[in-house]
Structure formats: C-alpha cells, structure tokens
Amino acid sequence: MTKTILITGGSRGIGRATALLCAAKGWNVAINYAQDEAAAAETLGGVEAAGARGFAMQGDVRDEAAMVALFDRTVATFGGIDGVVNNAGIVAPKSTVAEMDVERMRRVFDTNVLGAYIVAREAARRMGEGGSIVNVSSAAARLGSAFEYVDYAGSKGAVDTMTTGLAGELAAKGVRVNAVRPGLIATDIHASGGQPDRADRIGSKTPLGRAGTADEVARMIVWLLSDEASYVTAAFLDVSGGR
Ligand code: NAP
C-alpha cells in the first residue's frame, strides 16, 4: 500500500533521512521546513529521484494556521495521511538554567512543545485506522542535560508525556503513537546550538563509542510508521548507542 507521510522539519537531518527512506518504500512524502528553501528543494529532489511523489512546504510549527494549511495540502494532494513524523525541533546555545533568558526558553518551548502539540492535534483530527504518529523526542528527556540545555531536555520530557497521553486517546481509533529518543546524532543541530563538534566529542564517550547517523534514527522511525509495528503504541524507542 502507498502510504502518505507528513514530516515536520523534513528538509534536513533526521527528517531528511526519514523522507528519503519513506520515498525508497514508494510512499508519498509531505516535507515541511522553516526557512532553508534550498535544503527542502534538495530533499524533495531526492524523494522524486527515488520515484516517489512529494512536495515541500514552508511553515513554522509554532504557527497554527501554517500547520493547518500543511495538513490540508497533504490531504488534498494525496487523499489522506497515514503517518506523521513530529520531528521539527531546536536547541539553544549551551547554558545553565541560572543564566537562561526568558526569550530563549520561550523559543525552545514554543517550538519543541507547543509546535509538537499543534502538529499532534492536527494529526489526531485527521488520521484514522492504521495511522501512526512518531514523535521525535530525545535521550535528553531522560538525562536532563545539566550545564547544556535543561530547557530543551524539559521540552522533550513534555513530548514523551504527550506521546503516552495521545496514544491512550487514539488507540480506539486504530492510530498508534510512539516516540523515538535519539542520543548524539551527527546533524547540523549541534552547530546551530554553537557546538559543531558536540556529536563527535560526546558520542565517543557513549557505550557504542561513536555518534549515530540520521539514517540510523530514520530506520527506526520508518519501522514505527510501518505495519511491521502494528502492535506497538505508547512506546519509547531509544536510538542512543546505549547512552
Ligand atoms: P536539524 O538537522 O537542525 O534539522 C532541523 C529541521 O527542523 C530542519 O528541517 C528545520 O528546517 C526544521 N525546523 C526547525 N525549526 C522549525 C520550525 N519552527 N518549524 C518548522 N520546521 C523547523 O535537526 P535534527 O538533528 O535532524 O533534529 C530533528 C529532531 O531530532 C529534533 O526534534 C531534535 O530535537 C531531535 N533530536 C536530535 C538529536 C541529534 O543529536 N541530532 C538528538 C536527539 C533528538 P529549516 O532548515 O528550514 O530551519
């Protein structure tokens, strides 16, 4: 069956890797991004090169109207939605809680919590039997991220709690809701938080001795989206090299 998958932050990093793996399965892919149009176009090119259908659409996950429009376009283009990857997220520069300004905390919580909840709400409204929502949380939700970004860790704790609650609400509709919790994955997110070497530096200290790749996370996301995971809901899948 040709599934239709909507991926927030689908233009780069873990979202892009997921888009390309979905396309390799022949699934339709709706790619959302915030500002980097060129990266989104490149990802869409990869989807189409794999022989799959897709589109890329700008829209900030914090913007309710933009997310409604993204879901509307996905349904209008492909006739429905089978999977949603609630992936868009940000970190802010390394800081203790004592030194954090409110503006930064607001940006992190608005993007990672409010944005994820808006996307989850739209998914809940539009998905039915056989649907799968995958929230991209973080190992930070377990670890707390002391001296780096406790705001980010807390935002992912909220995503975990939402996963449990929404799974309970949607089970009767036949929609599964799960989360992946990546550890240190080599993407640009670390540079955007002012620590370009972070994945390699800390990744080498994990039990598996290296950072993970976006592809290694994407494979778990695609598995949760697939019918192979038909009895998996309210689950947390750590993709963190044992960290
Ligand atoms: P990334 O490489 O920085 O990519 C982020 C993606 O999200 C981009 O497509 C970006 O679009 C989009 N995005 C950012 N803010 C957005 C917004 N407000 N609205 C819509 N889209 C937005 O990040 P990543 O490492 O792949 O991370 C993806 C998810 O995995 C995040 O939720 C992150 O917290 C989580 N995660 C990552 C790691 C890691 O080590 N990399 C570990 C644990 C969890 P633009 O390029 O257009 O801005």
Side-chain angles (χ1 to χ4, degrees):
M1 185 195 115
T2 302
K3 290 184 186 288
T4 295
I5 311 296
L6 183 159
I7 307 171
T8 64
S11 57
R12 294 191 291 113
I14 292 167
R16 169 186 280 177
T18 305
L20 296 177
L21 283 186
C22 288
K25 283 185 161 292
W27 297 347
N28 306 317
V29 191
I31 299 159
N32 154 263
Y33 65 99
Q35 52 196 359
D36 189 340
E37 195 179 341
E42 193 182 327
T43 304
L44 179 60
V47 165
E48 290 171 343
R53 294 172 64 205
F55 67 81
M57 186 169 173
Q58 192 278 333
D60 194 311
V61 290
R62 295 171 294 181
D63 179 344
E64 179 185 11
M67 288 305 101
V68 170
L70 171 70
F71 277 77
D72 281 348
R73 181 170 168 190
T74 306
V75 172
T77 307
F78 301 120
I81 302 177
D82 304 291
V84 169
V85 185
N86 206 348
N87 166 74
I90 57 165
V91 295
K94 185 173 170 169
S95 170
T96 60
V97 173
E99 286 169 343
M100 280 177 195
D101 62 77
V102 170
E103 193 38 53
R104 159 225 170 96
M105 291 192 269
R106 205 186 303 283
R107 199 170 68 248
V108 169
F109 284 111
D110 276 358
T111 306
N112 296 0
V113 183
L114 183 63
Y117 270 68
I118 290 171
V119 170
R121 186 196 71 183
E122 287 310 303
R125 286 180 175 176
R126 296 160 195 261
M127 292 171 74
E129 185 63 39
S132 172
I133 299 169
V134 181
N135 293 323
V136 182
S137 173
S138 172
R142 289 187 279 107
L143 299 169
S145 304
F147 302 107
E148 277 201 302
Y149 21 65
V150 177
D151 52 352
Y152 172 82
S155 75
K156 294 302 187 177
V159 169
D160 281 3
T161 303
M162 184 262 280
T163 302
T164 304
L166 191 62
E169 288 190 1
L170 298 186
K173 267 178 95 178
V175 177
R176 298 179 294 104
V177 186
N178 296 289
V180 292
R181 287 195 293 217
L184 289 150
I185 309 301
T187 72
D188 294 341
I189 201 171
H190 308 290
S192 71
Q195 301 186 70
D197 66 335
R198 181 172 179 271
D200 286 337
R201 181 169 38 85
I202 309 178
S204 63
K205 299 190 182 95
T206 63
L208 283 186
R210 64 172 175 84
T213 66
D215 212 46
E216 287 175 309
V217 181
R219 274 184 247 147
M220 294 301 98
I221 294 172
V222 169
W223 178 73
L224 286 168
L225 290 171
S226 80
D227 299 338
E228 295 291 305
S230 53
Y231 200 56
V232 182
T233 194
F236 299 91
L237 187 43
D238 289 346
V239 190
S240 57
R243 188 166 187 252

